[in-house]
Amino acid sequence: MTDSRVILSVKDLVVKFNLRGRVLTAIRGASLDIYAGESLAIVGESGAGKSVFTKTFMGLLDGNGWIDSGSIIYNGEDLAKYKTEDDWIKVRGKEFAMVFQEPMTSLNPLKTIGSQVEEAVVLHRGLKGEEAKKVVIEILTDVGIEEPEKRYYQYPHEFSGGMRQRVVIAIAVACKPKVLICDEPTTALDVTIQAQILKLLKSLQKKHNLTTIYITHDLGVVANIADRIAVMYAGDIIEIGTCEEVFYNAQHPYTWALLSSLPQLGVKGKQLYAIKGTPPNLFNEIKGDAFAPRNEKALKIDFIKRPPYFDVSPTHKAKTWLLDPRAPKVEPPESIKKLCRQWKGDIQ
Ligand SMILES: Nc1ncnc2c1ncn2[C@@H]1O[C@H](COP(=O)(O)OP(=O)(O)O)[C@@H](O)[C@H]1O
Ligand SMILES: [Mg+2]
């Protein structure tokens, strides 16, 4: 059954890398349907595979990596079968645009801000001269850059980190993409600037009806920006649901652990909860639930058999044996229940 809301459909994706003669499996059969116009957050610890997963949509995998199996259907085509740069040119910028963590990696230090945004306008909108410049000024205004006529002629080093990220966002928007992928766009910025950039992304998403994929290791920042949250662990999406479902009714022990490490749970004078142990070694074959070795309440079957998705609601599913009808009743940690009550209280 195909759902007409789906703009991008990833099925059973496996991505591998060759590293010094050994093979590492970074994405282990992940599937995800992305809806047109939605704001989807992908969260998970560093190394979970968030960047690798989304880089496959644009043909940006590092040279030692490849899609081993699975499909990425966009506009009726399987992007997983694309081989050449000529193939990718059709989607890069035009259909998908990406904003990375460090704006300086996306900007050319030797070119003015204006000329860099203009390149995108010329290439993707076919405008020239004064007309192109006018559109650039409009876009710079759109992303909250003051005095755009003056800023147009300045270089990246004359901009603060937050302003540079606005320029990168301007370049992405200038291409008029359908899907905007933001990979940890605010991680390098301080908290106040982070909030401003999030607000900007949210307003651009609404204004241009952009499908936004928002990648972060910090579950705390997504509540205000995401319609849905996908939780990634060891190269797979282990839980997905609406923002409310994942915050208030999380089912996977890993999601509980992520929620438990939110700073909001910190009690004054007490150390913040940190998830114990380390993610599995991706060079090895992973048996069962990849989180089991770090899960104090893991079931026997968690070490033996990989859990399938169990539906929690029509919009919420998780890969945990706890959802099997035969599983013993395991409650989320007390701290999470308390947090949910606090949040609910806050809302009223
Ligand atoms: N070019 C590469 N060669 C080998 N391993 C890689 C390469 N790129 C990423 N990886 C590995 O793939 C896994 C997922 O990485 P990544 O997607 O960057 O994680 P995240 O973005 O969630 O922090 C990590 O174990 C990482 O070390
Ligand atoms: Mg990353």
Side-chain angles (χ1 to χ4, degrees):
M1 196 177 73
T2 49
D3 185 333
S4 60
R5 294 172 301 166
V6 175
I7 182 168
L8 178 72
S9 181
V10 186
K11 283 232 157 49
D12 304 322
L13 191 72
V14 175
V15 177
K16 296 187 178 182
F17 288 99
N18 200 322
L19 203 61
R20 290 180 219 101
R22 294 173 71 203
V23 174
L24 163 160
T25 307
I27 302 298
R28 300 182 310 117
S31 299
L32 177 65
D33 280 341
I34 296 166
Y35 303 134
E38 80 166 324
S39 164
L40 172 86
I42 303 181
V43 301
E45 283 165 294
S46 170
K50 306 178 298 292
S51 298
V52 167
F53 185 64
T54 45
K55 276 179 181 174
T56 61
F57 309 162
M58 291 178 76
L60 292 177
L61 277 184
D62 294 338
N64 61 331
W66 69 95
I67 294 177
D68 204 63
S69 58
S71 59
I72 305 168
I73 306 296
Y74 182 80
N75 265 348
E77 290 200 31
D78 186 357
L79 306 185
K81 296 211 162 61
Y82 280 10
K83 291 276 180 286
T84 64
E85 285 298 295
D86 281 351
D87 287 331
W88 287 112
I89 293 299
K90 291 188 285 186
V91 292
R92 241 182 246 156
K94 195 165 152 263
E95 305 289 334
F96 297 87
M98 205 151 187
V99 175
F100 294 101
Q101 176 174 338
E102 185 33 73
M104 274 321 254
T105 56
S106 319
L107 295 174
N108 184 335
L110 303 176
K111 285 185 177 172
T112 64
I113 292 299
S115 67
Q116 297 189 53
V117 182
E118 197 159 312
E119 270 171 29
V121 169
V122 170
L123 188 69
H124 292 278
R125 300 198 191 180
L127 300 174
K128 277 201 220 90
E130 279 306 304
E131 213 186 349
K133 186 176 171 195
K134 201 174 135 242
V135 171
V136 172
I137 301 290
E138 268 170 32
I139 296 171
L140 290 176
T141 312
D142 226 18
V143 298
I145 290 175
E146 284 170 20
E147 298 185 272
E149 284 88 358
K150 185 177 133 209
R151 293 300 225 164
Y152 184 98
Y153 295 103
Q154 293 183 335
Y155 291 86
H157 74 265
E158 295 173 84
F159 281 60
S160 66
M163 282 298 154
R164 277 184 213 140
Q165 198 58 301
R166 284 177 193 266
V167 174
V168 174
I169 294 167
I171 292 171
V173 172
C175 302
K176 287 211 162 181
K178 307 270 187 337
V179 182
L180 182 66
I181 302 168
C182 306
D183 192 346
E184 310 259 8
T186 61
T187 304
L189 305 172
D190 73 44
V191 181
T192 14
I193 310 292
Q194 176 173 319
Q196 292 167 7
I197 298 286
L198 289 177
K199 209 170 143 202
L200 169 67
L201 287 169
K202 179 112 196 162
S203 76
L204 290 173
Q205 189 226 344
K206 291 269 171 296
K207 184 168 174 187
H208 301 286
N209 194 26
L210 270 172
T211 306
T212 315
I213 303 174
Y214 193 91
I215 298 172
T216 176
H217 65 281
D218 182 358
L219 189 53
V221 309
V222 303
N224 292 322
I225 190 160
D227 302 321
R228 287 197 304 153
I229 300 176
V231 182
M232 195 152 206
Y233 188 74
D236 195 8
I237 290 163
I238 52 94
E239 180 155 9
I240 183 163
T242 65
C243 208
E244 280 78 24
E245 286 169 331
V246 172
F247 273 102
Y248 296 134
N249 191 27
Q251 300 293 323
H252 197 290
Y254 177 64
T255 314
W256 294 344
L258 271 186
L259 285 165
S260 302
S261 55
L262 281 174
Q264 285 93 319
L265 275 178
V267 179
K268 222 175 164 190
K270 262 197 167 175
Q271 219 175 5
L272 213 58
Y273 170 85
I275 306 174
K276 290 189 197 78
T278 49
N281 183 343
L282 300 173
F283 283 108
N284 299 336
E285 193 200 333
I286 295 170
K287 260 191 131 182
D289 182 325
F291 188 61
R294 298 172 78 183
N295 178 7
E296 281 166 12
K297 296 196 177 128
L299 311 171
K300 224 185 204 165
I301 191 167
D302 283 330
F303 293 94
I304 302 166
K305 202 168 167 195
R306 192 167 173 180
Y309 275 125
F310 289 95
D311 287 329
V312 183
S313 83
T315 49
H316 184 190
K317 59 187 176 177
K319 283 187 178 178
T320 166
W321 286 115
L322 289 179
L323 288 170
D324 188 291
R326 291 163 294 182
K329 185 108 185 90
V330 176
E331 292 278 330
E334 209 40 56
S335 57
I336 291 181
K337 290 204 220 158
K338 201 172 136 212
L339 184 65
C340 288
R341 285 198 296 273
Q342 267 175 19
W343 277 333
K344 285 187 176 150
D346 283 350
I347 286 167
Q348 279 157 14

